Amino acid sequence: MTIYSANGSNTTIRERLGLRPIINVSGTMTALGASIIVPEAIAAMSEIASQWVEMDDLQRAASTIVARLTGGEAGFITACCASGITMAIAGAMTGTSLLAIERLPDDTEGLKSEVIVQLGHIVNYGAPIDQSIRLAGASTVPAGTVSVTQDYHVREAIRDRTAAGLYVVAHHTVQYGMLSLEEFCEICHARGVPVIVDAASEYDLRGFLARGADIVVYSGHKFLSGPTSGIVTGRKDLVRAAYFQNRGVARAMKIGKESIAGTMAALEAWEKRDHVGIRQREEAALNLWKDALQGIAGIGAEIIPDPTANPLNRLQVFVRPESRFSAAGLASALAAGSPPIIVRNHEVERGHFFLDPCNLHPGEAEIVAERMRAVLSAERPADAMKSARKDTAGVLRWPD
Ligand SMILES: *Cc1c(COP(=O)(O)O)cnc(C)c1O
C-alpha cells in the first residue's frame, strides 16, 4: 500500500487505501470524515505546513478573524467543538490562574466546578456532552426534566459552586419545552453565571452572542467546511481563560498550525461563499431525489426544513411496509450498494430517514437518485425488513 502518489497517478487515495468510495448524504459526520474541505482551506494548510510560526501569534491573527465574523471580543481555534466546550468550562473554573489550570481536572479545590445544563440538552454527538464537562473536572447539574424545564429549575440549581450554564443548540436536543437562550441567559446572568453555547453545527455565527451568550463554540468542519477544528468566541476574559487551557487539560486536545490556518481560510471563504447558488444546487438535488421516489409503493418523500432553522432543507423519506423494506433495511441496502450511499439514519426506528444535500460532489446527486430507484426495483435483500437495533458488534471488532 502506497499512500502518497505523485501527480499523474491514475488511482485515488481512497483506492490506494482500500476505502469504500462512499457518497455522503447524511450530513457533516465525524465518522465519515466531517466535511469536504473548501479549496481555500486546503491551500492555506498546504502553504503553512512547511513553515515555522509562533503559535500564539497565529492564534492572535485567528482571534481577529473570529471576532470579525462572530462579533465576539476575541476568539481562537481548537481541535474541535467538543474540546472547545471543555476549554470554555475549564476557563470558567480557573480564570487566568495558571496554577489552577495545571491542577485540573481532578484537583478542583476552591474552584467553582458545577455546570448547569437543561436535561433535554444532555446530548450525545458521538460522545456524551457531560463527558466534555467532566474532562474539565466539573460536574453536570441537570435542570428540569426531559420534556420540560422551567425557570426555577435553573434558578434554584445555581449555587456558589456554579461555574457556568451550558446551552446546546442542535437537532439532537429536545426541540420543545426547554428554556429559550434568552431566558437561560437572563437567569444565569442575574447570578453572575456565564453562559456557554454549544452551536457546533449552526450557520449563524453572530446570533447567539447577540442574544446574550458569553462564549459560543462552533465546529470548524461542519457547515464551514474547514479542517477538523473548533472555534471559540465571545467575551475576552472568558476566551482568554479558555485559551490558557492549552497549558493544561487542552494539551491533550492540541490543534496544529495547519488546521488553525485552514480554519481561518474557511472562515474567510464563508464570508465570500455563494450561499444563494449553493442553496439552489441543494434544492435541485432534493427535487431530483423526490421525483425519483415518486410512484414507488410504500415510499413517501417530503422536503423539510432544518430543525434548528439553518438555511438548509433535507428530504425526509418515509418507508412503509408496502415497500417491503423497513427504513433501517433500505438504509442498509443503500449503504451496501455500489457506490455505497450513506443516509442520515438517526431516526430510522421511526420509519424514516433523511437525505442531506450539503456535502455532494458534482454528479453525486444523480447517482443517489439512480441508486435509490435501482435498490427499490430490485429483489429485496434478506434483511430488507430488519428492525433498527442499536448494534455495536461491528464497532467492537476494530481494528479487525
Ligand atoms: C457535532 C457536534 C458537537 C461536536 O463537535 P466536534 O467539533 O465534532 O467536536 C458538539 N455539539 C453538537 C451539538 C454537535 O452537533
Side-chain angles (χ1 to χ4, degrees), residues 334-345:
L334 288 165
S338 178
I341 314 279
I342 314 294
V343 304
R344 193 173 178 87
N345 68 355

Side-chain angles (χ1 to χ4, degrees), residues 183-253:
E183 290 169 303
F184 192 77
C185 288
E186 192 182 312
I187 297 162
C188 290
H189 289 165
R191 296 281 296 276
V193 172
V195 173
I196 299 163
V197 172
D198 169 3
S201 54
E202 300 309 297
Y203 286 52
D204 183 353
L205 286 172
R206 307 185 83 91
F208 307 107
L209 285 177
R211 286 163 61 196
D214 299 286
I215 191 161
V216 183
V217 190
Y218 295 91
S219 289
H221 49 266
K222 291 186 177 172
F223 63 96
L224 278 170
S225 306
T228 297
S229 60
I231 297 164
V232 179
T233 180
R235 243 172 64 189
K236 192 186 277 188
D237 59 330
L238 293 171
V239 168
R240 178 182 282 138
Y243 180 69
F244 290 166
Q245 306 305 317
N246 283 313
R247 310 167 67 105
V249 289
R251 174 64 197 203
M253 308 167 187

Side-chain angles (χ1 to χ4, degrees), residues 258-275:
E258 61 288 349
S259 296
I260 298 171
T263 304
M264 291 166 72
L267 280 164
E268 231 175 43
W270 178 255
E271 280 182 300
K272 299 188 200 111
R273 194 184 278 199
D274 175 14
H275 293 278

Side-chain angles (χ1 to χ4, degrees), residues 30 80-82 85 125 168-170 172 198 200-201 219 221-222 229:
T30 291
C80 63
C81 180
I85 293 167
Y125 38 68
V168 182
V169 184
H172 302 284
D198 169 3
S201 54
S219 289
H221 49 266
K222 291 186 177 172
S229 60

